[in-house]
Amino acid sequence: MPNDVLRDSFYRALERFPILAGYLRSEGTGKTTVVVDRNDLNMPEYLESTSNVLFSELQDAKFHHSSWPNGLSTTGPITVASANGRIKLMNVHVVRLKDNTGVVIFVSMPHYVVDGTGFFSFVELWGKLCTVERTLDTVLMQQTDELEFVFDRDLISRSLPTERKPLGTETVNVYTGFSPLAEWLAWLSPNTRGNVLSKAKFSSNVVSHTFRVPQQSLESLRKKVCVHVDDLELKVDATHVLAALISKMVAQAHKKCEQNDQSAGMISTLVGWVSRAVFGAETSQSLNLLADVRHGLNIADQGYMGNGLIPHNTQCSLSVLETPTDAETLAAATCIVSKIYSNADGPLVASFIDMLLARPSCFTRPMVYLARHPKSLVITNETGFKLYKADFGDGLPEWVCTIPSFVANFIGFLPSPPNSSDIVVNITLKEPVMKHIVNNEFWRDLATIVY
């Protein structure tokens, strides 16, 4: 995998993704536009370096981020301006490991321009073009030439149905509720907003763990859960069961933390009382699941590369989630998750987009809402993305993962490397809550910790 070939094929792939050479322009109403100007390109950052780390050392550490080469991640979790004062829409860092034992490629693109579909489609294209340049494979060259990538959001507008479906009460409350802080953040320029958010202490007392869940064990659990699902027409996916299980575990863990606080002394009890007096006692968990509009609008085969993810919010009663976990109680939580996904059709997508167009500044409200509701969860399912499709001519990657998360209550489902059908689960929580997760007997019987 020569550096010059990697670099050359990168810029050839960029020709097919011109939006990544654009810049952000704030409209002043909470709306941000991506502008591609051939006379004023905002070229991605592309860096190359070498490391004293051997590939075998990464393998021994199971690719834990503490083993990564120093300086691998050239951006953080918050999108901020680069040295030239502009936000780069892509950052790449190619690190060649010691004795040429391997290569680590860091790629970052903000959600302003793409979601997982666009992100991994670019990396896959880059790999194919690199392979073509190394092997002169004419068949693969023709296949890449025939690929179509669409960046115009008008595709979504044109695909919206005429029917509308009412949004859930929780979604409406999150996106339209009164929040001066969220409104202020939305009206800031992307540069200023990034600077403000980068100084917030989101990562205080936050820990992340990565687990493996065997597909066979999860499918067995799904079948046990389905026995207790009364709605026979409801589609219950294995990842729905997994999301429901984590939702229950987190609720149970928070309850144990509160019980520990109450027994810890008068000060902790007083702090909890004041918090409930100011914000109100939480009786439910806000569950936020991300769904892809491509499926709801039947455009998954049309090559749309922009950000097509929209969140669906619902309130799950803590009285349901805090019950001891077995197949029956897990079924009740799973039905909530499955109904969210089954409801994410074209009319619901259309109603959501109508809401965004009517109030462009509402996109910062979920962030503020989650910060005020510590029992909330955001769950992303990336098992369908092409994480392990990028072959640069030397085979598929050994390991693909995200950078360590910076904020609590985020859960991510990822696929395993090609030789396994397991689901990789990244869980990021406050440390006291995480302690109860790793000791949860139901979870320990299902999942194994990677790191």
Side-chain angles (χ1 to χ4, degrees):
M1 196 185 297
N3 275 2
D4 58 339
V5 178
L6 264 177
R7 190 185 319 111
D8 182 62
S9 56
F10 168 80
Y11 286 108
R12 289 176 60 202
L14 183 61
E15 291 177 359
R16 306 286 298 276
F17 277 71
I19 195 170
L20 297 174
Y23 63 88
L24 301 178
R25 183 176 67 196
S26 177
E27 303 292 338
T29 59
K31 182 180 179 181
T32 300
T33 304
V34 179
V35 178
V36 182
D37 183 347
R38 67 172 59 193
N39 298 314
D40 186 20
L41 294 177
N42 179 28
M43 293 298 287
E45 178 185 69
Y46 187 96
L47 303 176
E48 299 170 345
S49 67
T50 57
S51 171
N52 290 324
V53 177
L54 290 166
F55 182 72
S56 59
E57 294 174 324
L58 295 179
Q59 287 180 309
D60 292 342
K62 298 180 180 178
F63 302 99
H64 188 272
H65 58 81
S66 62
S67 67
W68 295 354
N70 290 333
L72 171 63
S73 304
T74 55
T75 63
I78 297 293
T79 302
V80 297
S82 61
N84 69 356
R86 278 183 170 176
I87 290 175
K88 296 291 185 183
L89 300 188
M90 179 162 54
N91 297 75
V92 175
H93 188 192
V94 177
V95 181
R96 193 163 296 275
L97 299 176
K98 185 177 180 180
D99 297 336
N100 204 26
T101 53
V103 173
V104 182
I105 301 178
F106 168 81
V107 182
S108 174
M109 305 178 203
H111 276 304
Y112 283 110
V113 284
V114 296
D115 57 13
T117 296
F119 182 101
F120 292 110
S121 293
F122 175 87
V123 178
E124 182 185 16
L125 174 65
W126 179 13
K128 288 181 176 179
L129 292 174
C130 182
T131 300
V132 166
E133 191 164 341
R134 296 175 66 185
T135 64
L136 303 180
D137 187 332
T138 56
V139 174
L140 184 58
M141 169 70 82
Q142 182 177 351
Q143 291 174 349
T144 57
D145 288 344
E146 293 173 353
L147 293 173
E148 293 188 11
F149 304 108
V150 178
F151 304 96
D152 190 348
R153 291 189 69 85
D154 281 347
L155 172 60
I156 292 180
S157 301
R158 295 194 305 268
S159 304
L160 294 177
T162 56
E163 315 97 278
R164 295 296 187 267
K165 178 186 290 185
L167 295 170
T169 302
E170 179 62 16
T171 297
V172 173
N173 289 342
V174 169
Y175 277 88
T176 64
F178 178 70
S179 178
L181 175 58
E183 193 74 15
W184 174 71
L185 285 171
W187 279 71
L188 296 177
S189 70
N191 284 22
T192 304
R193 184 165 55 247
N195 289 334
V196 170
L197 294 177
S198 66
K199 293 177 173 57
K201 298 186 180 298
F202 289 113
S203 60
S204 176
N205 203 27
V206 170
V207 295
S208 294
H209 283 305
T210 297
F211 302 86
R212 273 184 185 266
V213 177
Q215 185 67 48
Q216 185 175 359
S217 300
L218 185 59
E219 177 58 23
S220 175
L221 179 60
R222 187 193 71 85
K223 291 178 179 178
K224 294 177 182 177
V225 165
C226 286
V227 172
H228 301 280
V229 175
D230 295 330
D231 185 352
L232 299 181
E233 295 184 358
L234 183 65
K235 181 182 177 182
V236 178
D237 190 82
T239 55
H240 301 173
V241 178
L242 185 58
L245 174 59
I246 293 174
S247 175
K248 281 181 64 66
M249 289 195 305
V250 171
Q252 294 164 358
H254 274 287
K255 183 177 182 179
K256 290 180 179 179
C257 288
E258 291 171 354
Q259 292 171 342
N260 292 341
D261 288 343
Q262 291 172 2
S263 61
M266 184 179 297
I267 294 179
S268 296
T269 302
L270 181 61
V271 170
W273 182 86
V274 171
S275 176
R276 289 189 292 273
V278 174
F279 299 112
E282 290 196 74
T283 60
S284 60
Q285 176 193 84
S286 177
L287 183 61
N288 308 272
L289 304 173
L290 298 181
D292 191 337
V293 302
R294 297 172 183 84
H295 302 297
L297 299 179
N298 296 316
I299 58 171
D301 60 346
Q302 296 188 38
Y304 180 66
M305 295 291 111
N307 188 349
L309 297 181
I310 61 173
H312 296 284
N313 310 77
T314 192
Q315 289 283 1
C316 303
S317 172
L318 291 178
S319 62
V320 173
L321 300 178
E322 291 173 351
T323 56
T325 303
D326 55 30
E328 184 174 3
T329 61
L330 184 54
T334 299
C335 286
I336 296 174
V337 174
S338 297
K339 287 176 181 177
I340 291 176
Y341 283 117
S342 66
N343 197 41
D345 56 7
L348 189 75
V349 170
S351 295
F352 187 89
I353 291 177
D354 288 347
M355 179 181 66
L356 292 182
L357 292 175
R359 196 168 187 172
S361 62
C362 69
F363 72 96
T364 54
R365 277 170 166 71
M367 182 195 319
V368 175
Y369 182 90
L370 291 171
R372 288 187 53 193
H373 295 79
K375 294 182 181 180
S376 300
L377 275 185
V378 176
I379 299 180
T380 65
N381 181 8
E382 301 178 37
T383 56
F385 291 147
K386 299 182 286 188
L387 274 71
Y388 289 95
K389 295 294 185 180
D391 186 344
F392 290 82
D394 293 297
L396 299 177
E398 286 278 332
W399 185 253
V400 179
C401 65
T402 60
I403 62 174
S405 185
F406 70 106
V407 65
N409 304 337
F410 271 73
I411 316 294
F413 300 161
L414 304 171
S416 283
N419 60 352
S420 171
S421 61
D422 296 352
I423 294 179
V424 175
V425 181
N426 293 329
I427 300 180
T428 305
L429 298 166
K430 290 289 187 179
E431 186 175 10
V433 180
M434 182 67 84
K435 288 181 179 178
H436 294 292
I437 299 298
V438 296
N439 291 317
N440 184 291
E441 291 186 9
F442 199 99
W443 181 243
R444 290 173 64 147
D445 287 341
L446 180 68
T448 56
I449 190 167
V450 178
Y451 52 72

